[in-house]
Amino acid sequence: MNIQQRSKSSFIPALAAVILGAVYMVFFLAAESELEVFGLLLGAGVVLLILRKMGVLDKIGRGASDNSMAFGACVAVAAAAISLYFYDDNFVLFLIGSVLAYTLTCLGLNIQFGFVGVVNFAGASFFGVGCYTAAILTKHTATPHLLILVLGGLAAAALGFLILVPVLKTRGHYAALVTIAFALLFKTFLEVNDTLGGPQGLKCDGLHILGWDFNTDIIIGSFEGSFYLGYIAVILVLCVLGFVFARRMEESWIGLNMDAVRLDETVSACFGLSIPTWKVAAFTVGNFYCGLAGAFYAMMLGYIAPTNFTFGDSLILLSIVILGGLGSSWGAVAATGIIILLPEKFQMLQEYRFLIFAALVIGILLFRPQGLLPRTLRSFAPLRSRQG
Amino acid sequence: MDLGLIAQHVVNGLMMGLIYALVAVGFTLFFGVLDIIKFSHGDVLTWGVFSALTVYIGLDIIGLHAPWLTLIIVTVVSMALIGALGALIAKVLILPLRKAPPLNVLLITLMLGTVLRESIRLFYPDGANPKRFPALLPDWSHTWGNFTLRFDNTVMLITGIALIVLVQVLIKRTKLGMAIRAVSQDEETARIMGINFNMVVFITFAIGSALAAYAGVTYGLYYNELSFNMGLLLGAIGFSAAAVGGFGNIYGAIVGGFLFAALQTIGAAALPFASAYKDVFAFGVVIMIMAFKPSGLLGEKETERV
Amino acid sequence: MTLQTSLLSVQKLEKNFGGVKALADLNLEVGQNQIMGLIGPNGSGKTTFFNVLTGIYPVTSGKIYFEGHDITNFTPQKVYRAGVARTFQRSRLLLELSILDNILLGNHNRLNNGLWFNMFRRGALQQQFNDRLEKARELINIFDESLAGNIFEPVAKLPMISRRRIEICRALISRPKLLLLDEPSAGMTHDETFRLIDDILEIKSKVQNLTIIIIEHEMSVMERITDHCAVLNFGEKICEGTYEQVSSDKNVQEAYLGMD
């Protein structure tokens, strides 16, 4: 049997893209006026169109997927480099940290929605569960902070399990209902509960790992860097781990089973898959991501309040997942950056962001439902690499 | 427990039940006809009551001050407008997406709901703040001991229930209703029988949305207040009411609506210290019911063909 | 045929949908290693029978025995694990996924699906993957070499006959004891159908333990492949025997009105 193996595409175009992208991000983040930002966006749009026409985008894509580990490493290094460039700009660094936290959250939502097909309309609420777990545990216990991060994830996962299990045997829209109800009631529940800080919210301690207080600026020799650099290091590591975990899951029997459940429950059942098991597995893992990100965010911000966890915020997270491309991990990364950073640079967008992003999602669902960076077909590449 | 207080709770429960039932009937009609969940329904209700308010302001400006006439005009106009809106939504968003996975329609309508909601907040004058809805019904009342029976509540209850009965009659007894039921059962066969599928869909959406507008006006008259995000929770409640009654089943929607209101009332009475908990309680019980009877209390319509 | 030699024994099976009697007092015995044909006009209950057998619909009354065990009202998952696999009347592949993904879904019972195994025991997973990949290629190669060469391509772009072949492979890869084929030749030309039957017979000759029930409207298929046929009408069996016997039966001809 003759199977042609396409030779590996060159990594050079992809590497160049990462480097140029990093430089672009530096300019973008440093831009002061809205005119500058608009110009940058226009420029990027034109360049991307030209590259697409020339087929270069395809080359970049293939180079990236054939050398996925190298590509991932380069992107992570680029993120670190960008952060180091802004070493004493607290505002930009906090923004980068937030974007990474939301990226982790959306990677989790991607597993729930993109892999197994369970829509979670309460992503922001599960994020909030992680936040409140961290706030309570740091203020009232001596639990080590790394463990608190994990506990934040577990709390969200456990709560998600509780609300999903009753509706597992029902149609898909009941899972939607349950998460919508949770999203709507979570904020109200927090506001009427004074033990959880009520409408004012709660303070949260900063991260302390092995005696190092992350809230102190980093001084090495003549280098004085913002304390946010430490936080970024942590969330970058968490993001990378979360990304790799999600991709591994996708390129394995687990990913196959989840896709099958999403695409056709009857057929899946006829071939032995337990539908509830896979839905619960994906939902729980996804919520763990949300809670973990939330716990981190609370410690980085130092303070949390119920107003961050509204239904509208959950819808924005979903918009990110849809914009990026359902089930696409790289899509989630790219889309998080776009949707979180743009309103920061265009202040007037902030007020209109719910409206604009809702309209954007409608547009995508109507005209390009596969999203910006559509999910690629499962090729089991990591398992095939050693085949003769 | 004092009888007057109980009676007060009952009336309150009935009013809310009526509103929820009106919304739920819409959800169930849409599901029946197209097997879809139109999540913008709650926000369509908000548009209904805001359009009613706008008409009222308009009438007020041109000097019409007869409360009964104003009420009728306001109600009818808003129902007509919102009915048209519903049909438009069906034409532009829902019908084109019929072949797409049902989750896409759920998402699109949810996002549409956000667009509707935010439009009011951003573009209606002072939209972000709650507004007063005029009290157009006379405030006659009669008091027995601790219980005050208000005239306006009674009128609203009676007319609301009459409207639901009217819709029932429409579905069960008229040619149009038969067409709607035929389309709900089997689109292809209905088409072959000569039924204009698209027209039936538009009319169904118009009816459902008009009912939502009416529910909104009722809410406005009852609470004298409206705000841009009132439709969110009402929509979620209407959806769960339709779900717990059984999607596609009109009786189920009615039962579900009143059941939810009853649960809220029980919750509020049992946990007087925080009104938010009544919603948690009601949703919780509804979810439990669905865990045990996934197709709803009165049975959902069969949709899948293997 | 006695109960002891029957692989599948269906007794007084009834299935009602509201007022409609889809299956009414169906009795059937299928022997080990047989190829049984199910014939009948549209609406006679053949696909409903498959759906009830595989647990998609609950039984209204009656019993189903498989290898002597009562499998009435088993969930689809349990029926699959007992050794029954099927294809669907309207081809149901996961169009977004690749050929390999679709075939391997059928192999669910032989894959290690645990979280730990898939995430952390990558070496073992790799072994299992390559082994399964080989098996899937072998299987689809019998039906169509080009599909075997493109096994990582998406299914969505393939023509209907390729999809039907993939669906049969999906059912076969788990080495079922009983294979249910629902109109496998639908949409195929005469030559393609002929080739399909060749392939099915080839598989049957290579495997020790395979019983097949096949629903078909294409009578040449029934004539060629079946050992035994049952004819259904209005949810009941109206005739049974070899193809020659049932095709010349008066009741059967009446039911089909114009069958040749």
Side-chain angles (χ1 to χ4, degrees):
Chain A
M1 218 180 311
N2 212 1
I3 302 12
Q4 305 111 303
Q5 285 241 115
R6 188 168 49 80
S7 59
K8 263 190 171 189
S9 294
S10 164
F11 184 55
I12 311 283
L15 179 62
V18 173
I19 296 176
L20 288 172
V23 171
Y24 180 82
M25 283 312 296
V26 165
F27 277 111
F28 187 83
L29 288 168
E32 302 275 302
S33 75
E34 293 191 359
L35 200 58
E36 266 181 82
V37 178
F38 185 70
L40 277 169
L41 285 175
L42 206 58
V46 166
V47 167
L48 283 173
L49 264 169
I50 296 178
L51 288 181
R52 188 161 74 125
K53 276 265 165 2
M54 287 169 51
V56 174
L57 281 189
D58 270 341
K59 287 215 185 94
I60 296 176
R62 267 182 274 132
S65 53
D66 280 354
N67 301 282
S68 53
M69 284 224 290
F71 185 72
C74 285
V75 171
V77 166
I82 296 174
S83 311
L84 280 171
Y85 178 87
F86 291 102
Y87 68 96
D88 62 354
D89 188 338
N90 277 354
F91 178 73
V92 170
L93 287 178
F94 179 76
L95 191 56
I96 294 178
S98 309
V99 167
L100 289 173
Y102 290 129
T103 304
L104 184 60
T105 309
C106 290
L107 285 173
L109 290 176
N110 224 4
I111 294 174
Q112 295 168 336
F113 192 16
F115 290 3
V116 101
V118 171
V119 200
N120 185 356
F121 285 108
S125 309
F126 287 108
F127 184 88
V129 168
C131 289
Y132 274 87
T133 309
I136 295 172
L137 288 179
T138 57
K139 282 300 183 192
H140 297 284
T141 69
T143 323
H145 286 187
L146 274 181
L147 185 58
I148 291 184
L149 288 179
V150 172
L151 287 175
L154 288 177
L159 202 52
F161 181 84
L162 278 179
I163 67 168
L164 187 70
V165 164
V167 295
L168 272 177
K169 306 265 182 176
T170 64
R171 291 170 168 277
H173 37 256
Y174 294 142
L177 168 68
V178 150
T179 54
I180 290 176
F182 184 64
L184 290 175
L185 300 175
F186 183 70
K187 177 163 173 275
T188 334
F189 180 77
L190 289 173
E191 282 173 343
V192 303
N193 245 305
D194 280 323
T195 47
L196 292 173
Q200 273 82 15
L202 288 177
K203 284 225 197 80
C204 184
D205 274 348
L207 197 54
H208 285 72
I209 300 181
L210 298 177
W212 171 261
D213 177 2
F214 274 70
N215 280 9
T216 51
D217 283 343
I218 299 175
I219 303 177
I220 307 175
S222 56
F223 175 81
E224 274 186 51
S226 156
F227 65 96
Y228 280 122
L229 283 173
Y231 280 104
I232 290 182
V234 170
I235 189 68
L236 191 55
V237 167
L238 290 177
C239 269
V240 168
L241 288 176
F243 187 93
V244 169
F245 192 88
R247 288 287 294 148
R248 259 204 185 182
M249 218 166 53
E250 191 182 346
E251 299 280 343
S252 76
W253 305 143
I254 295 182
L256 175 58
N257 289 329
M258 289 187 181
D259 280 339
V261 166
R262 171 172 55 91
L263 291 171
D264 196 329
E265 282 186 28
T266 309
V267 166
S268 301
C270 284
F271 288 102
L273 273 71
S274 159
I275 311 290
T277 306
W278 292 107
K279 286 187 173 174
V280 166
F283 196 67
T284 315
V285 169
N287 281 340
F288 181 84
Y289 277 60
C290 296
L292 179 64
F296 167 83
Y297 186 79
M299 291 203 252
M300 181 173 77
L301 185 54
Y303 164 76
I304 49 167
T307 48
N308 291 41
F309 314 122
T310 65
F311 183 58
D313 294 303
S314 292
L315 287 185
I316 295 236
L317 292 174
L318 270 184
S319 310
I320 294 176
V321 168
I322 295 174
L323 173 66
L326 218 44
S328 163
S329 295
W330 279 120
V333 171
T336 311
I338 294 174
I339 290 200
I340 304 292
L341 289 177
L342 276 180
E344 289 293 330
K345 286 297 178 183
F346 285 111
Q347 274 310 315
M348 73 124 155
L349 231 61
Q350 280 280 17
E351 187 61 14
Y352 290 81
R353 72 183 197 284
F354 289 139
L355 178 64
I356 293 179
F357 291 135
L360 183 66
V361 171
I362 293 179
I364 292 180
L365 287 173
L366 282 177
F367 303 118
R368 195 186 152 95
Q370 67 271 40
L372 274 183
L373 294 176
R375 186 177 167 198
T376 49
L377 213 56
R378 180 179 298 103
S379 61
F380 288 108
L383 302 176
R384 284 164 72 192
S385 48
R386 290 190 221 155
Q387 199 191 11
Chain B
M1 249 268 144
D2 133 48
L3 265 176
L5 199 56
I6 296 181
Q8 208 65 55
H9 274 301
V10 166
V11 168
N12 192 55
L14 284 175
M15 285 303 306
M16 291 319 296
L18 174 67
I19 293 174
Y20 298 154
L22 285 166
V23 177
V25 165
F27 270 112
T28 232
L29 278 176
F30 303 150
F31 185 81
V33 156
L34 279 185
D35 288 338
I36 57 123
I37 309 293
K38 178 173 160 274
F39 247 110
S40 50
H41 200 46
D43 301 288
V44 164
L45 180 152
T46 313
W47 269 51
V49 65
F50 267 85
S51 63
L53 179 66
T54 314
V55 172
Y56 169 78
I57 293 176
L59 291 176
D60 195 49
I61 290 178
I62 67 172
L64 181 61
H65 285 155
W68 284 104
L69 187 58
T70 310
L71 179 60
I72 292 175
I73 295 180
V74 156
T75 309
V76 168
V77 170
S78 70
M79 283 175 78
L81 278 176
I82 299 309
L85 176 66
L88 182 66
I89 293 175
K91 182 174 167 74
V92 171
L93 276 188
I94 315 272
L95 272 181
L97 278 185
R98 245 178 330 132
K99 304 293 177 194
L103 215 50
N104 279 27
V105 177
L106 196 148
L107 275 173
I108 269 202
T109 52
L110 204 103
M111 294 298 164
L112 176 67
T114 303
V115 169
L116 291 172
R117 191 162 61 245
E118 287 291 301
S119 300
I120 294 185
R121 183 177 73 89
L122 294 166
F123 303 127
Y124 198 86
D126 195 30
N129 291 324
K131 306 198 162 318
R132 260 202 83 241
F133 194 85
L136 290 168
L137 289 170
D139 61 359
W140 311 328
S141 62
H142 195 104
T143 312
W144 292 275
N146 265 343
F147 173 59
T148 307
L149 180 65
R150 294 174 57 113
F151 174 74
D152 51 9
N153 290 350
T154 320
V155 166
M156 286 194 279
L157 263 176
I158 294 177
T159 47
I161 293 180
L163 186 60
I164 293 185
V165 170
L166 192 67
V167 170
Q168 264 293 74
V169 165
L170 178 80
I171 301 287
K172 299 276 180 198
R173 302 271 170 94
T174 65
K175 267 184 94 177
L176 173 63
M178 193 150 69
I180 294 179
R181 276 181 292 138
V183 163
S184 307
Q185 286 273 16
D186 192 325
E187 173 194 336
E188 262 179 71
T189 316
R191 277 194 204 259
I192 294 174
M193 290 290 160
I195 293 179
N196 185 340
F197 177 75
N198 286 4
M199 191 48 71
V200 169
V201 169
F202 294 152
I203 292 181
T204 310
F205 271 68
I207 294 176
S209 307
L211 285 177
Y214 184 85
V217 172
T218 307
Y219 186 98
L221 287 171
Y222 185 59
Y223 282 111
N224 290 119
E225 185 182 89
L226 54 155
S227 64
F228 74 96
N229 59 0
M230 59 193 276
L232 249 187
L233 192 59
L234 283 176
I237 293 176
F239 174 62
S240 7
V244 84
F247 270 116
N249 187 328
I250 293 204
Y251 292 122
I254 300 171
V255 166
F258 282 102
L259 174 64
F260 199 94
L263 288 171
Q264 275 186 320
T265 314
I266 295 173
L271 312 157
F273 42 89
S275 63
Y277 287 116
K278 75 175 193 293
D279 290 331
V280 175
F281 174 71
F283 273 115
V285 172
V286 161
I287 290 169
M288 281 299 132
I289 294 179
M290 295 206 294
F292 287 112
K293 232 189 164 258
S295 57
L297 287 172
L298 296 185
E300 186 177 300
K301 59 171 265 228
E302 278 255 4
T303 45
E304 233 222 323
R305 276 277 213 96
V306 180
Chain C
M1 187 153 348
T2 65
L3 269 159
Q4 283 105 319
T5 57
S6 289
L7 180 71
L8 181 73
S9 172
V10 176
Q11 294 167 11
K12 292 186 163 48
L13 196 60
E14 237 184 78
K15 176 61 191 168
N16 298 335
F17 290 107
V20 180
K21 248 195 163 65
L23 295 175
D25 193 29
L26 180 64
N27 296 282
L28 209 58
E29 302 291 328
V30 183
Q32 195 82 261
N33 282 312
Q34 235 188 15
I35 300 186
M36 163 164 285
L38 272 190
I39 307 177
N42 280 324
S44 53
K46 312 185 295 292
T47 299
T48 309
F49 167 59
F50 274 9
N51 289 339
V52 168
L53 175 56
T54 53
I56 294 176
Y57 297 148
V59 157
T60 305
S61 74
K63 286 266 182 240
I64 306 175
Y65 292 92
F66 183 68
E67 293 193 305
H69 304 297
D70 183 354
I71 67 164
T72 324
N73 282 330
F74 266 22
T75 61
Q77 290 89 345
K78 276 174 105 172
V79 174
Y80 166 77
R81 281 195 289 272
V84 180
R86 68 172 292 180
T87 66
F88 295 84
Q89 186 177 29
R90 292 175 307 145
S91 166
R92 284 179 89 142
L93 288 182
L94 307 176
L95 293 178
E96 265 179 45
L97 304 183
S98 66
I99 298 177
L100 179 65
D101 281 347
N102 273 282
I103 296 179
L104 286 183
L105 176 64
N107 214 191
H108 185 256
N109 59 352
R110 287 174 202 257
L111 302 176
N112 189 330
N113 296 296
L115 190 70
W116 185 260
F117 180 81
N118 279 276
M119 296 304 298
F120 302 114
R121 292 191 51 212
R122 299 295 277 189
L125 176 64
Q126 192 164 35
Q127 248 185 354
Q128 190 172 78
F129 169 76
N130 284 308
D131 174 67
R132 293 288 103 206
L133 173 62
E134 198 49 49
K135 290 284 184 317
R137 279 204 173 117
E138 263 176 47
L139 193 54
I140 189 76
N141 197 51
I142 296 179
F143 290 87
D144 188 338
E145 297 90 40
S146 68
L147 291 178
N150 291 323
I151 208 168
F152 291 100
E153 296 300 305
V155 160
K157 303 182 191 152
L158 297 174
M160 189 46 98
I161 35 152
S162 304
R163 293 196 207 171
R164 289 218 172 262
R165 289 171 176 152
I166 295 169
E167 209 178 330
I168 295 175
C169 289
R170 176 175 73 184
L172 280 172
I173 195 161
S174 64
R175 302 288 195 93
K177 297 173 192 159
L178 175 62
L179 175 65
L180 307 174
L181 295 174
D182 200 340
E183 297 189 41
S185 80
M188 293 193 192
T189 66
H190 195 71
D191 290 337
E192 288 162 349
T193 307
F194 201 83
R195 165 89 196 266
L196 182 70
I197 301 305
D198 275 343
D199 296 336
I200 296 178
L201 287 172
E202 182 182 340
I203 302 265
K204 180 99 176 25
S205 65
K206 292 187 174 163
V207 175
Q208 236 109 346
N209 219 2
L210 179 60
T211 310
I212 303 179
I213 304 180
I214 176 167
I215 295 177
E216 260 300 343
H217 282 299
E218 180 59 53
M219 289 305 143
S220 61
V221 169
M222 296 308 218
E223 193 172 355
R224 235 187 108 199
I225 198 177
T226 58
D227 304 316
H228 198 81
C229 283
V231 184
L232 264 57
N233 201 19
F234 295 119
E236 269 185 306
K237 183 178 68 182
I238 60 172
C239 182
E240 195 175 348
T242 65
Y243 176 77
E244 287 69 35
Q245 288 170 341
V246 305
S247 58
S248 48
D249 183 285
K250 283 284 186 296
N251 293 326
V252 170
Q253 282 170 353
E254 233 176 74
Y256 262 109
L257 264 177
M259 174 186 116
D260 57 292

